[in-house]
């Protein structure tokens, strides 16, 4: 049985590989990365390192050859590029006759109107069309996405949001990684969809938890989208990223991440790390 993880030098992918190495012999694990030199540490530990680039489909044929179970970690970039890249990866998996595909998707992907959803919808559709057994790991929201805001609060700024009363199921990348490793290396996950979400919280509830961890009151500044963009720009966010950040707030405000689920417990035997504990870990990393 040979397992392969794409994007294995990325933030999530590297955590998935580490989780796998706790239960899977290194010689049963391969990784596909754009820059193999970044994975030399894994090679030294007995993991097979293969070169694969979602923008160069011909490289993926060699990368996926002989693989039984594949984890496709969603790519970064604009929606158009990601849709193309995800379809390239799925087509290569079909050509390589892999027997199982796990894919890191977004919460409620099929019905989501979040602007981030189209690349995930395209990937899920492409996988379904292959007829290959699959598992869709619909990751709600990484707590690590909030590090810039947490750093701002630690420096004395309020928690700024235009997300209104919309709720998010924040969880640590480590939790998502362990869930992905469980599915890739385990049995009985064929043709499954896992909605992976932490406890749903509003921005105010999140700020209260952060305040508890920091030992101070965290003020929440609810603003409109235009003001939010101006504040982010003033905080040094590059102009081209502002529409992206505003659209995320809008999606949250409209309830696109309000996906209640106990699927973490199904896969890990425990819920996602409680938000106070998770925030403590992040604050310690930042400090």
């Amino acid at each position: 049985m040979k397992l392969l993880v794409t994007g294995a030098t990325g933030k999530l992918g590297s955590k998935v590989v580490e989780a796998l190495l706790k239960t899977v012999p290194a010689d049963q694990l391969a990784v596909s990365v754009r820059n193999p030199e970044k994975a030399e540490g894994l090679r030294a530990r007995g993991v097979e390192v293969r070169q694969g680039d979602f923008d160069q489909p011909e490289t993926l044929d060699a990368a996926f050859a002989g693989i039984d179970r594949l984890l496709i970690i969603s790519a970064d970039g604009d929606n158009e590029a990601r849709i193309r890249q995800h379809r390239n990866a799925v087509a290569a998996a079909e050509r390589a006759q892999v027997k199982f595909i796990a894919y890191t998707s977004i919460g409620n992907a099929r019905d989501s109107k979040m602007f981030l959803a189209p690349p995930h919808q395209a990937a899920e559709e492409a996988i379904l069309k292959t007829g290959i057994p699959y598992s869709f790991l619909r990751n709600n929201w990484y707590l690590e996405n909030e590090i810039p805001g947490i750093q701002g609060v630690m420096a004395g700024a309020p928690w700024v949001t235009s997300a209104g009363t919309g709720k998010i199921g924040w969880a640590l990348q480590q939790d998502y990684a362990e869930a992905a490793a469980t599915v890739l290396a385990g049995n009985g996950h064929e043709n499954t969809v896992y909605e992976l979400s932490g406890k749903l919280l509003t921005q105010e509830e999140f700020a209260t938890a952060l305040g508890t961890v920091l030992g101070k009151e965290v003020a929440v500044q609810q603003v409109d989208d235009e003001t939010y963009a101006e504040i982010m720009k003033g905080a040094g966010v590059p102009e081209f990223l502002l529409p992206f950040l505003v659209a995320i707030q809008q999606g949250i405000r409209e309830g696109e991440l309000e996906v209640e689920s106990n699927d973490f417990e199904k896969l890990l035997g425990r819920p996602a790390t409680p938000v106070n504990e998770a925030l403590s870990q992040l604050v310690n990393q930042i400090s």
Side-chain angles (χ1 to χ4, degrees):
M1 182 75 71
K2 193 83 170 184
L3 316 180
L4 185 138
V5 177
T6 72
T9 53
K11 289 175 182 174
L12 178 64
S14 58
K15 292 180 177 71
V16 174
V17 171
E18 290 303 324
L20 284 166
L21 284 170
K22 290 176 181 171
T23 59
V24 175
D27 61 3
Q28 289 181 21
L29 184 58
V31 297
S32 167
V33 292
R34 271 179 306 196
N35 302 307
E37 62 275 10
K38 290 186 179 177
E40 283 305 318
L42 292 175
R43 196 194 302 276
R45 293 163 69 188
V47 175
E48 185 180 350
V49 177
R50 302 179 177 191
Q51 200 271 330
D53 187 333
F54 287 6
D55 278 320
Q56 297 177 306
E58 66 281 2
T59 66
L60 299 177
D61 291 330
F64 296 168
I67 295 303
D68 297 295
R69 297 173 71 84
L70 170 67
L71 172 63
I72 298 176
I73 292 184
S74 55
D76 291 325
D78 62 67
N79 278 3
E80 193 178 326
R82 297 175 87 196
I83 288 170
R84 182 185 67 249
Q85 290 166 343
H86 293 164
R87 284 175 175 161
N88 285 346
V90 173
E94 186 173 23
R95 289 194 300 273
Q97 298 182 327
V98 304
K99 298 175 180 65
F100 176 83
I101 301 173
Y103 170 73
T104 59
S105 194
I106 194 172
N108 192 33
R110 192 178 62 182
D111 300 318
S112 179
K113 295 176 181 63
M114 193 91 164
F115 89 104
L116 293 169
H120 299 292
Q121 291 163 343
E124 289 194 7
E125 286 167 15
I127 291 167
L128 289 171
K129 282 180 184 170
T130 66
I132 297 169
Y134 64 88
S135 183
F136 298 148
L137 305 165
R138 291 181 173 168
N139 295 348
N140 190 286
W141 205 245
Y142 301 144
L143 191 63
E144 286 84 350
N145 292 345
E146 310 299 352
I147 286 175
I150 293 169
Q151 288 173 319
V153 167
M154 290 168 73
W159 184 259
V160 181
T161 180
S162 63
T165 57
K167 293 183 177 181
I168 299 178
W170 284 283
L172 288 168
Q173 283 178 344
Q174 184 63 34
D175 287 337
Y176 292 114
E178 288 178 19
T182 298
V183 167
L184 189 64
N187 297 315
H189 301 292
E190 284 70 25
N191 305 329
T192 53
V193 176
Y194 294 110
E195 292 286 351
L196 296 171
S197 173
K199 183 182 177 184
L200 295 179
L201 300 172
T202 63
Q203 301 288 317
E204 277 78 7
E205 288 167 334
F206 181 87
T208 297
L210 180 58
T212 300
V213 168
L214 294 176
K216 67 175 186 176
E217 192 169 335
V218 176
V220 177
Q221 188 177 346
Q222 287 274 8
V223 296
D224 60 24
D225 288 339
E226 191 177 345
T227 306
Y228 181 81
E230 286 171 11
I231 292 171
M232 291 300 107
K233 186 177 178 181
V237 173
E239 193 119 15
F240 75 93
L241 281 177
L242 295 175
F244 174 85
L245 294 183
V246 167
I248 288 171
Q249 295 288 305
Q250 185 178 8
I252 295 165
R253 187 170 67 238
E254 293 170 357
E256 295 298 337
L257 293 178
E258 287 188 31
V259 184
E260 200 147 8
S261 168
N262 64 349
D263 284 351
F264 267 123
E265 290 185 63
K266 286 183 193 172
L267 292 178
L268 303 182
R270 62 169 178 82
T273 305
V275 69
N276 286 42
E277 186 184 327
L279 282 168
S280 291
Q281 289 182 32
L282 276 196
V283 168
N284 287 335
Q285 286 172 29
I286 294 167
S287 301

